[in-house]
Amino acid sequence: MTEERPTLYLAVHAAALWVVHAELQVVHVAPSGLIDFPNRSAFEITHLPGSPDVFSKSREFQVDLGELKRRQGDQVGHLYAVSIHSMPRSLQFLDGMVLQARAPGFETSVSMQLEDHAVLLGVWWQTRAGEWAFEYSGKVLDTMNATYQTIFLAGLYAERFADR
């Protein structure tokens, strides 16, 4: 049996949703402090089968961490902020939402009550030991300015992690 490639997997599931367009976005902060806008971090987000652009019961993606390392080299000091938002209409979430995040070295599942807001789901990064870590945020964002707020918050996270 071949060994599975190291992958970051992130999914938002809900028991019931109004059908709206929604997407997960990634903002990349390099150790230099330069911030890349969503999904332009020299890797592609692979949306998994059964995860259409229309947000029905789940939205998910995966990132091939092996390919990321091949393209970008060591990722220690790089930080990735993940948010969910919808434009032009607000998200219409009901109760019972769950965020699942999984990568080599961590696995987490968090219950959320998001209502109709864009949200910074969390931040993931590679530790000095070479393991991946994820910290849930749940910070509510202004829907119309969600991208810029995510970039601002990613910068704050980067400053905090730089102090470690």
Side-chain angles (χ1 to χ4, degrees):
M1 185 174 180
T2 60
E3 187 174 316
E4 200 174 302
R5 292 184 63 88
T7 302
L8 169 75
Y9 168 83
L10 192 125
V12 176
H13 302 286
L17 290 170
W18 292 97
V19 178
V20 297
H21 176 88
E23 63 182 20
L24 298 173
Q25 288 189 334
V26 177
V27 170
H28 172 215
V29 184
S32 64
L34 293 176
I35 298 175
D36 291 331
F37 275 70
N39 299 347
R40 292 180 176 83
S41 302
F43 64 89
E44 287 84 31
I45 292 175
T46 304
H47 292 285
L48 301 179
S51 181
D53 284 339
V54 172
F55 191 100
S56 54
K57 288 189 183 273
S58 68
R59 192 75 176 117
E60 49 195 58
F61 72 82
Q62 61 187 7
V63 175
D64 183 333
L65 299 174
E67 180 64 15
L68 179 62
K69 182 175 183 178
R70 187 189 71 75
R71 289 189 199 179
Q72 296 284 86
D74 190 15
Q75 291 296 293
V76 173
H78 291 250
L79 185 139
Y80 302 89
V82 184
S83 62
I84 186 168
H85 81 120
S86 178
M87 291 293 280
R89 293 172 48 200
S90 296
L91 297 166
Q92 297 179 32
F93 295 133
L94 301 178
D95 293 343
M97 294 197 67
V98 175
L99 167 69
Q100 292 179 315
R102 184 173 67 243
F106 77 84
E107 186 167 345
T108 187
S109 182
V110 181
S111 294
M112 301 181 294
Q113 308 257 327
L114 301 184
E115 298 184 9
D116 62 350
H117 302 287
V119 173
L120 176 66
L121 296 174
V123 174
W124 54 283
W125 69 96
Q126 188 177 36
T127 66
R128 285 191 174 90
E131 297 174 337
W132 290 92
F134 179 84
E135 181 176 313
Y136 172 70
S137 169
K139 174 88 174 147
V140 173
L141 308 172
D142 173 59
T143 300
M144 296 306 290
N145 296 307
T147 299
Y148 298 101
Q149 285 184 315
T150 300
I151 291 167
F152 173 74
L153 291 170
L156 292 180
Y157 269 95
E159 287 178 11
R160 194 177 99 210
F161 286 114
D163 291 340
R164 290 184 180 174

